[in-house]
Each structure stands twice: as structure tokens, then as C-alpha cells.
Amino acid sequence: MLKPDKYLIEFINYCKKKFKEDLVAIVIYGSYPWGYFDKNKSDYDVIIIFRDNIPKGKNPIKKKFKKISLQYYDNCEGLIKKVKLGHWSIYITLLTSGMILYEDQDYSKFLKTLKNINFRDELVKVSLTELKKNTEEKINYEIKILKSRNGFEAIKWALPSIRKKLQLLTYIKNKKLLWDLNMNLILNKTLNKEEKAFILNLDKKVKKRLENFNNQDKNKVIELLFKLNNEIINNLR
């Protein structure tokens, strides 16, 4: 279990007191557990998981803990349903990179249920036409956000957008659930050396919170998103 700082300890205690037996787990990911957290600039990416009832209290958390970025606020069943509908980020984050801030006895059961889901099988249940439509909608959304941001904020959005597609490709082609960017790039045969170097450079920029990211870089990211997405679809046929 990850050692929380003073701010997170206050947040955890608040959630335990407020949600009591409804609370199953609090999971954190992003810059804090991965070692490049800046206490003056970073926020805390958090998932709060409930047993059955989803209590009211999301807005009070946002008001009281302004540095907490609530990525998901849902119960176990709701998260399982989202995964079966194709929410890859939930699946890989909770099973690989998410660090536990709090858990009760039911969280391990939830993870076991999650792990037993064959994500590839869930994807191929839909028609190829529907799959293409869904993935294109996601890419168009990612591109829209990317174009609206500049500097570090754009880089911080671009890297995860690429990384999750790499991870999904690794899972589909190699039957491996890997978070590590370098390992995913090593296993990937779709990208050339220049493209892999570009992605690794994005990773360095995120960790150093650099701002240099121009329109040419944005276009490169968009090109990579479409290339990886096409490879995902081709491997699901």
C-alpha cells in the first residue's frame, strides 16, 4: 500500500468517516505514485469505489479537496459494466498501475472479478462497424482536447492517449497486461524507431514538466493515434 502524504491522509480519513461501510477502496494513479509529483502544480488522480450504494458527496469532495481529481466515483458493479463496454483505462489502471490508498475486504474480490474479464472478448462482441465507430469517436474526442491545449497540458494529455493504445495492442497481440511504456514499445512491431523515440521523448517531457510542444508535435500525436487505432481494429478482425 502506498504511503500517503498529509493531504491524502486528510482526504482518506474524510472519505472513511463520510462513506463508512459503503466505501470499498480508494485508488490513486498518475504523477503521485509514479514519482514525478510536483506539490505546487500536480493534482491527485483518484478512483473511489463503493460497494452497492453510490453516496451523494462528490461535489463536497471537489469543494473541500481542490487538488483531488476524481477520475471515477462509482460502485463495483458500475465499474465492471464500464469495463465490459470497452473502458480500457479502468481495466489496466486498476489491475496494474493503480496504488491502493484504502481497501476493505471486498476489494480483492472485486479485483478478481475484474481480472477474470477477457477484455478482448468483450471488444469482439460488437460488430466491426460499431467498433470502428466507437474507436473513432474516442480518437476525435482525444484530438479535440489535444488541440485545445498547449505546452505541458497538451503533452500531459497526448502521452496517456498514445500509451493506452499501445497497452491495448500488447494485450490483444501478446496476451500480456503491461503498464510499463518501454516494455510496450519493445513488444510493438507497428511503430518505427523514430515514432518510438518520439513517444519516449513525450514521456521525458511529462516527467520533467516541460512546455515545448508545437503544432508539428500535435500532428505527430494525431498520426500515431490513428495508426495505433487501425492496428487495434485489424487485430480484432
Side-chain angles (χ1 to χ4, degrees):
M1 193 175 290
L2 185 71
K3 184 177 181 180
D5 62 14
K6 189 175 180 180
Y7 190 88
L8 283 173
I9 290 171
E10 184 182 354
F11 169 69
I12 295 164
N13 288 337
Y14 172 88
C15 289
K16 288 165 67 176
K17 184 176 180 180
K18 183 173 182 63
F19 302 127
K20 299 182 175 67
E21 66 276 2
D22 286 327
L23 186 64
V24 170
I26 303 171
V27 178
I28 189 169
Y29 65 100
S31 60
Y32 186 82
W34 303 340
Y36 54 97
F37 184 81
D38 185 325
K39 65 179 181 180
N40 296 316
K41 297 178 180 179
S42 299
D43 53 14
Y44 302 84
D45 295 310
V46 170
I47 300 171
I48 301 181
I49 304 171
F50 300 102
R51 186 165 283 101
D52 297 306
N53 179 49
I54 304 174
K56 293 180 179 179
K58 190 174 182 179
N59 289 332
I61 286 177
K62 290 181 178 180
K63 289 178 181 178
K64 184 175 178 63
F65 298 95
K66 297 189 183 302
K67 295 189 73 175
I68 295 292
S69 178
L70 276 179
Q71 300 299 312
Y72 292 97
Y73 184 91
D74 207 343
N75 61 18
C76 296
E77 183 183 358
L79 290 172
I80 293 295
K81 283 182 179 179
K82 284 182 173 67
V83 168
K84 289 184 175 182
L85 288 171
H87 288 245
W88 170 251
S89 295
I90 299 173
Y91 187 72
I92 191 164
T93 299
L94 291 179
L95 290 177
T96 60
S97 68
M99 304 296 287
I100 300 167
L101 293 174
Y102 167 81
E103 65 175 322
D104 78 353
Q105 69 277 5
D106 286 338
Y107 187 58
S108 60
K109 297 176 186 176
F110 165 74
L111 286 182
K112 186 176 181 180
T113 301
L114 193 64
K115 194 172 184 179
N116 286 335
I117 296 173
N118 186 313
F119 196 85
R120 188 186 189 284
D121 287 352
E122 296 300 327
L123 287 178
V124 297
K125 282 179 182 178
V126 301
S127 68
L128 185 59
T129 302
E130 187 68 19
L131 181 63
K132 285 182 178 179
K133 180 186 174 185
N134 292 342
T135 55
E136 284 175 8
E137 285 177 354
K138 288 178 183 178
I139 284 185
N140 289 332
Y141 171 74
E142 289 167 341
I143 291 171
K144 181 181 177 181
I145 300 298
L146 177 65
K147 288 182 175 180
S148 71
R149 299 184 179 187
N150 295 299
F152 175 72
E153 290 302 316
I155 303 169
K156 191 173 70 169
W157 179 263
L159 179 65
S161 298
I162 293 171
R163 181 175 57 209
K164 64 186 177 184
K165 286 177 174 52
L166 278 168
Q167 293 164 338
L168 182 53
L169 258 179
T170 298
Y171 177 78
I172 292 169
K173 295 177 76 172
N174 300 282
K175 298 181 180 179
K176 292 183 179 181
L177 197 60
L178 295 175
W179 181 266
D180 184 76
L181 181 62
N182 285 288
M183 286 302 299
N184 279 284
L185 287 171
I186 289 170
L187 290 172
N188 186 277
K189 307 302 180 184
T190 305
L191 304 178
N192 59 43
K193 289 182 180 180
E194 289 76 17
E195 290 168 331
K196 291 182 179 182
F198 175 80
I199 295 169
L200 288 173
N201 193 39
L202 283 182
D203 186 48
K204 290 178 182 177
K205 287 181 178 181
V206 168
K207 290 175 179 176
K208 293 181 180 180
R209 301 188 69 90
L210 300 180
E211 294 285 345
N212 54 317
F213 191 72
N214 56 34
N215 286 332
Q216 186 177 349
D217 294 326
K218 286 185 180 182
N219 290 334
K220 186 65 179 177
V221 169
I222 293 169
E223 179 185 316
L224 285 168
L225 290 175
F226 278 110
K227 184 173 183 176
L228 291 169
N229 190 64
N230 289 336
E231 187 69 11
I232 289 169
I233 291 171
N234 288 336
N235 277 274
L236 287 172
R237 287 177 173 171

